[in-house]
Amino acid sequence: MNAFTSHKQFSRLLYTSALDIGHTGERPEQTARKIAEGSAAHNRLSDLTGSLVFVDGAFIQILEGPPDEVEKTFERICCDFRHVDVRLIDFINVSERLFEDWDMACLCEDKDTSLALRDGLQEIRFLVGINASQAMLQMRNLLDNQSIAGNARNSTAI
Ligand SMILES: Cc1cc2nc3c(=O)[nH]c(=O)nc-3n(C[C@H](O)[C@H](O)[C@H](O)COP(=O)(O)O)c2cc1C
């Protein structure tokens, strides 16, 4: 690499956590969607992108962008009382984003979720425990499939 070919470095982080159901009277999926919407608004200002899965009360989130912004934001996320049991699964440097078009996409399970999406979300939950990079690719694939089906818009919840 020389002065003319300097590449941007991004951080990409994957963690899991569990919704703290004790603190609100809302339905769990309502809380999850609100979190995703608020996150997207914050992330837009911090040049962050990513995806939030919510399935069976569990969050699986990918956050990517400038390393200092990813770190600062994850520190805030760890202190958030709306979830518990935050477990960092993967934290790597990458040269390209996986979710460049999403400030924070949300793949949330609720009562209207199709069987195909439910299966996809369960598969991500399974993969995250055994192969982080496969889980991340599966999140991207699922979003692409939802977009093709007309269910996804950039930067927003599905
Ligand atoms: C599961 C989960 C995911 C979150 N993801 C993000 C995120 O991607 N970006 C973000 O800025 N805040 C995210 N938040 C919210 C932060 O924890 C925090 O409430 C928010 O950044 C506002 O922080 P502030 O009140 O210190 O300004 C998330 C919270 C939870 C519970």
Side-chain angles (χ1 to χ4, degrees):
M1 201 191 322
N2 60 38
F4 302 103
T5 60
S6 73
H7 293 297
K8 244 185 166 172
Q9 272 296 109
F10 301 109
S11 290
R12 183 182 302 139
L13 178 152
L14 173 72
Y15 77 86
T16 61
S17 66
L19 177 72
D20 183 353
I21 44 170
H23 83 279
T24 162
E26 289 176 335
R27 280 183 291 119
E29 62 272 18
Q30 259 180 304
T31 308
R33 284 181 195 279
K34 260 192 209 163
I35 289 172
E37 279 162 25
S39 302
H42 267 94
N43 294 351
R44 211 165 297 140
L45 300 174
S46 313
D47 192 25
L48 292 171
T49 50
S51 177
L52 181 71
V53 161
F54 182 66
V55 56
D56 287 345
F59 290 111
I60 302 166
Q61 188 176 27
I62 295 173
L63 197 59
E64 56 184 19
D68 53 332
E69 292 295 342
V70 170
E71 264 181 57
K72 265 194 296 187
T73 303
F74 187 55
E75 276 171 20
R76 285 205 314 274
I77 291 173
C78 286
C79 299
D80 198 308
F81 61 89
R82 291 171 291 183
H83 63 168
V84 293
D85 198 17
V86 178
R87 292 176 195 210
L88 183 60
I89 307 289
D90 205 20
F91 191 12
I92 52 173
N93 291 325
V94 290
S95 55
E96 285 179 5
R97 296 174 193 251
L98 250 185
F99 298 91
E100 64 279 2
D101 293 331
W102 288 275
D103 298 315
M104 188 47 61
C106 178
L107 290 158
C108 286
E109 184 185 41
D110 61 29
K111 62 178 175 31
D112 299 322
T113 303
S114 68
L115 212 57
L117 178 56
R118 205 177 297 272
D119 284 351
L121 294 175
Q122 293 290 353
E123 193 181 345
I124 290 167
R125 194 162 186 215
F126 169 72
L127 280 172
V128 92
I130 53 168
N131 188 332
S133 43
Q134 266 311 110
M136 292 195 264
L137 287 177
Q138 181 65 12
M139 278 166 87
R140 175 62 207 252
N141 285 342
L142 206 52
L143 271 174
D144 287 341
N145 291 343
Q146 292 297 303
S147 302
I148 291 163
N151 295 327
R153 278 173 296 145
N154 292 359
S155 317
T156 190
I158 292 171

